[in-house]
Amino acid sequence: MRLTGNVLLVFCAFAAGRPALAAPKPETPHLTFVTEYIRELAAIENIRDMAKQELKDADDNGKISSGIHMNTLFQLELQSEVAMLKGMRLNPPYNDLISNIISFYDFKITVFKRITEIFTFILGGASGPKPNVDYARLAAEVPALRARLDYLDHALFSDVTAVVFSTLIDLKPDSKNHTSHMIITKAERGLLLESLANDFGDKMDQKGQNYGVSSAIVLRGFLRGRKCSDEPWE
């Protein structure tokens, strides 16, 4: 079908007015993603260490004030991490991984926010109870909220950690049909191991660690247990 001059002008004007389809966001390099996840684990662990020391040195009212301070720091760090992850994208079969992590972080932010609100109420009543505030109920809510945080940390460790680190696996099998290699070089593996050592130190060699440190321990074992992309293939 031939377009007349007027019809052609109308068609071109319509096409020019249509918004261009946004190009899909390029996949984030898996090494970049895993490096960021390690940084996030280390940042949360650093705040946890700060909280332990601050609470140790505080009196009763100081402990409540420190609780507000530290729970706010956790919120701010997690919000920063969510923003960072939203700028990343992974291709299948890992395309849902980042959104799942963000969901866990959002849940944790909600819990930390509620704990901060409770501590603020309690601290505000230190000079005298305020009417219509059930301080006993508020105080009893805090252990339940901490249990939720423990549950979320455990879920992140058991359901997410291994998948995060598996993004470094080269899915091409070796001669024995094993996925024995990673997509990173020996030098890149060395940098990840160095980062883990600097961030977590001898905690990774101690028993009874929290889920964040346990994740670092799992990654260290994973990195040591597989060959790199520049090592010989069988």
Side-chain angles (χ1 to χ4, degrees):
M1 178 182 71
R2 294 186 61 188
L3 299 177
T4 65
N6 289 338
V7 174
L8 182 59
L9 287 174
V10 171
F11 176 80
C12 291
F14 172 75
R18 293 178 63 186
L21 294 176
K25 185 189 302 181
E27 183 182 33
T28 302
H30 291 192
L31 176 60
T32 300
F33 168 64
V34 173
T35 300
E36 168 59 19
Y37 193 72
I38 293 173
R39 187 203 67 77
E40 292 170 5
L41 291 173
I44 293 298
E45 182 63 16
N46 184 51
I47 297 174
R48 186 177 285 112
D49 285 343
M50 289 169 56
K52 288 179 181 178
Q53 186 60 46
E54 191 167 316
L55 289 171
K56 179 181 177 182
D57 298 336
D59 58 18
D60 288 343
N61 284 338
K63 283 179 168 42
I64 298 174
S65 179
S66 293
I68 295 171
H69 176 216
M70 289 303 168
N71 279 281
T72 302
L73 284 180
F74 280 122
Q75 289 178 60
L76 293 173
E77 175 58 34
L78 286 166
Q79 288 167 354
S80 173
E81 292 171 4
V82 166
M84 181 67 73
L85 290 173
K86 283 183 175 179
M88 297 183 171
R89 188 186 72 83
L90 297 175
N91 289 336
Y94 307 111
N95 48 306
D96 292 329
L97 178 56
I98 290 177
S99 62
N100 289 340
I101 296 172
I102 290 173
S103 294
F104 278 113
Y105 287 1
D106 282 338
F107 280 128
K108 292 182 71 174
I109 289 169
T110 300
V111 176
F112 280 122
K113 183 178 180 180
R114 179 56 182 161
I115 295 175
T116 301
E117 289 173 349
I118 291 173
F119 285 166
T120 301
F121 270 117
I122 294 174
L123 188 63
S127 58
K130 295 184 178 181
N132 303 318
V133 177
D134 189 343
Y135 290 97
R137 184 188 64 79
L138 289 175
E141 188 179 347
V142 173
L145 291 168
R146 286 176 173 160
R148 287 190 181 188
L149 288 174
D150 288 340
Y151 178 84
L152 290 168
D153 284 339
H154 177 264
L156 272 167
F157 174 71
S158 61
D159 300 340
V160 172
T161 296
V163 184
V164 169
F165 302 152
S166 72
T167 62
L168 295 178
I169 296 176
D170 191 330
L171 298 180
K172 181 178 66 176
D174 58 23
S175 61
K176 298 179 180 178
N177 205 32
H178 296 155
T179 52
S180 57
H181 283 66
M182 295 183 288
I183 60 174
I184 58 176
T185 65
K186 289 190 291 184
E188 290 168 337
R189 175 176 63 184
L191 290 175
L192 288 178
L193 289 171
E194 182 180 353
S195 177
L196 288 170
N198 291 337
D199 291 334
F200 297 96
D202 58 5
K203 288 182 181 179
M204 292 190 293
D205 298 316
Q206 298 171 4
K207 296 181 179 179
Q209 294 298 316
N210 60 57
Y211 292 117
V213 178
S214 296
S215 294
I217 294 170
V218 169
L219 175 55
R220 184 179 65 175
F222 172 89
L223 292 170
R224 290 174 173 176
R226 277 184 168 79
K227 295 180 180 179
C228 296
S229 59
D230 53 354
E231 293 184 279
W233 285 69
E234 293 182 0

